[in-house]
Amino acid sequence: MTNFLIKIIRFGITGGLGFCIDFGSTYLFKEKLKWNKYVANTIGFSLAVTNNYIINRIWTFQSHDPDIGRQFGLFLVISTLGLLINTAILYFFHEKKGNHFYLSKLFAVLVVFIWNFSANSIITFHDV
């Protein structure tokens, strides 16, 4: 298996874990602790991004860049842009084109996976 394919698989596994952290913590804060849904969502997103950065830095890309603050900032910006891309695609295909919500979401997730992996490979973790 090529190094590139291994990185893609690891990035996907890490993203899956991030998804669980995002939804799990959002559910905890919103449903169980009765916090505002947008605050809960922000916490879930933030915890997932932080987790994904740490795992991708260590496991996926095996980065040794000493400037962790700059690198995390880049990862956060790319993740936030990915969220905006996801939302725009979902809105366009579901609201404007009338496609099924989850089919639209699946397409958005696939596009953003490619965006996140490519941008982080080229920009955030380019030291490897």
Side-chain angles (χ1 to χ4, degrees):
M1 195 175 308
T2 69
N3 190 35
F4 180 74
L5 185 56
I6 290 170
K7 284 182 183 181
I8 289 175
I9 292 169
R10 287 180 176 181
F11 194 83
I13 291 169
T14 302
L17 177 59
F19 173 84
C20 293
I21 289 170
D22 186 351
F23 273 72
S25 56
T26 300
Y27 176 81
L28 171 69
F29 286 103
K30 180 184 177 295
E31 302 299 332
K32 298 300 181 185
L33 300 177
K34 304 299 183 195
W35 288 21
N36 175 280
K37 61 187 168 187
Y38 298 108
V39 172
N41 185 61
T42 301
I43 292 169
F45 178 79
S46 299
L47 290 174
V49 166
T50 302
N51 173 77
N52 287 2
Y53 167 72
I54 292 167
I55 293 175
N56 280 313
R57 176 182 165 83
I58 295 168
W59 187 50
T60 305
F61 295 100
Q62 301 170 355
S63 175
H64 300 289
D65 185 341
D67 195 352
I68 293 172
R70 178 196 61 80
Q71 195 178 55
F72 179 71
L74 291 170
F75 190 86
L76 179 60
V77 167
I78 289 167
S79 297
T80 302
L81 288 172
L83 177 61
L84 293 173
I85 293 166
N86 182 298
T87 302
I89 290 171
L90 185 58
Y91 176 79
F92 178 76
F93 283 101
H94 177 63
E95 294 293 329
K96 293 297 185 185
K97 294 297 181 183
N99 292 306
H100 189 273
F101 177 82
Y102 288 108
L103 183 61
S104 300
K105 185 165 179 62
L106 176 63
F107 179 66
V109 166
L110 292 173
V111 170
V112 171
F113 178 86
I114 293 166
W115 155 256
N116 282 343
F117 180 80
S118 301
N120 280 302
S121 294
I122 295 165
I123 298 168
T124 308
F125 299 109
H126 63 83
D127 65 306
V128 292

